[in-house]
Amino acid sequence: MANEKKVEAVVLDSVPEGQHLQRKLKARHLEMIAIGGTIGTGLLLRSGGAIARAGPIGALLCFAIVGLQVFGVASGIGEMCTLLPVEGAFSAMPTRFVNPALGFSGGWNYLWLPLTLLDPRDLDRKGYTTQGRKLEDLPYIAPFYPYADYVSLTIGSVVTVFLFISAFYNRAGAPNWFNTQWFLDNSWTYCGVPLIIVFYIAHGSLKSGFALVKYEDMDFETGRLIETEEEKNFNEALKAKPKSWAEWGQRIWFKLF
């Protein structure tokens, strides 16, 4: 009986050996973090200025466009991180599924976050199926694949192009279109793309190389989430819709408090 209990504890261990992350956050914690992130980005504070400059329709359109881009990126993160909740930032995913040079350069730059996450997600799916696994076994399957990826990458590319144009645009009202002093004062904001290219080439040349990780060599086991029976039952209960007003009240109370 003692041996059976010991084996059961090993099989149902949700924290792989050598890792310090534990799955302790609840749904209500994540919702509070989301609300805090909304406030932290200045959404409530800076929305008035955006509406004043662009008008209600323009501001709504901009928020919708950026929301589409964020949806593609967030769904890509969710698909990879629910399977492999590894320690570290998002740069761990390009390092594992593309090559270390992209993970290093992407970790230093948030501007091309869609490229550093959506491309690994695409390779991650191909490697997952190449090794004889089924997509249905993933804890979370991102919707609208690959169209959400294409939309997110397109929006990111267009925004980047206009950022470079605005870096050379003379906003001071001088007769010439290009104002050297304004560019020197403000262009550092838009140096992210050249910087990520330099980091990629430097890391690949000096340390890791530029070879892509082969599908059959992709690691889907190290750090993989193994749910306990209690966690599985809890998640299934969260997915189930309340059947009465009392259950709705309990669900709302649980999420808030």
Side-chain angles (χ1 to χ4, degrees):
M1 180 65 69
N3 292 335
E4 291 180 0
K5 291 184 177 178
K6 184 177 181 180
V7 171
E8 182 181 6
V10 174
V11 172
L12 299 180
D13 186 10
S14 62
V15 183
E17 184 179 356
Q19 291 198 350
H20 304 286
L21 295 178
Q22 297 186 21
R23 197 178 186 183
K24 299 296 185 180
L25 291 178
K26 305 299 182 182
R28 62 181 184 275
H29 301 146
L30 299 178
E31 291 174 0
M32 293 299 104
I33 292 174
I35 295 175
T38 302
I39 299 173
T41 56
L43 181 61
L44 303 178
L45 178 64
R46 303 190 65 180
S47 297
I51 295 173
R53 289 191 299 269
I57 300 299
L60 180 62
L61 184 62
C62 290
F63 276 112
I65 292 174
V66 175
L68 286 175
Q69 183 187 20
V70 172
F71 174 80
V73 177
S75 61
I77 297 175
E79 185 169 287
M80 291 184 289
C81 291
T82 51
L83 176 66
L84 301 167
V86 296
E87 295 179 356
F90 58 81
S91 57
M93 296 305 172
T95 299
R96 179 177 290 203
F97 298 121
V98 184
N99 60 30
L102 183 63
F104 174 79
S105 58
W108 282 91
N109 190 285
Y110 277 70
L111 180 62
W112 275 91
L113 178 63
L115 174 62
T116 57
L117 286 174
L118 296 179
D119 185 52
R121 193 261 288 264
D122 185 53
L123 298 177
D124 165 59
R125 281 198 174 195
K126 292 180 180 178
Y128 196 78
T129 54
T130 300
Q131 295 182 11
R133 308 168 190 264
K134 297 180 180 180
L135 293 179
E136 292 77 13
D137 298 333
L138 291 172
Y140 169 75
I141 300 177
F144 306 110
Y145 174 85
Y147 306 107
D149 296 12
Y150 296 153
V151 170
S152 184
L153 288 173
T154 301
I155 294 174
S157 301
V158 172
V159 169
T160 302
V161 170
F162 278 97
L163 282 176
F164 274 106
I165 293 176
S166 66
F168 288 92
Y169 179 69
N170 177 23
R171 302 181 184 180
N176 57 328
W177 188 69
F178 175 71
N179 188 319
T180 305
Q181 187 59 46
W182 187 93
F183 178 77
L184 293 176
D185 292 341
N186 298 275
S187 61
W188 63 271
T189 308
Y190 310 114
C191 68
V193 173
L195 188 63
I196 193 175
I197 294 175
V198 170
F199 281 165
Y200 178 79
I201 295 175
H203 195 280
S205 303
L206 301 177
K207 187 174 182 180
S208 63
F210 300 100
L212 300 179
V213 179
K214 297 180 180 179
Y215 293 148
E216 56 270 16
D217 296 334
M218 291 182 178
D219 184 10
F220 294 98
E221 293 299 326
T222 305
R224 182 173 65 88
L225 175 65
I226 303 176
E227 292 183 320
T228 64
E229 291 298 327
E230 181 181 357
E231 291 172 337
K232 291 180 180 179
N233 295 334
F234 179 78
N235 292 332
E236 291 298 327
L238 285 180
K239 295 178 182 178
K241 293 182 178 180
K243 298 179 181 179
S244 63
W245 286 106
E247 292 183 2
W248 273 109
Q250 293 177 357
R251 179 70 61 86
I252 295 174
W253 179 265
F254 174 78
K255 286 182 175 293
L256 291 177
F257 305 104

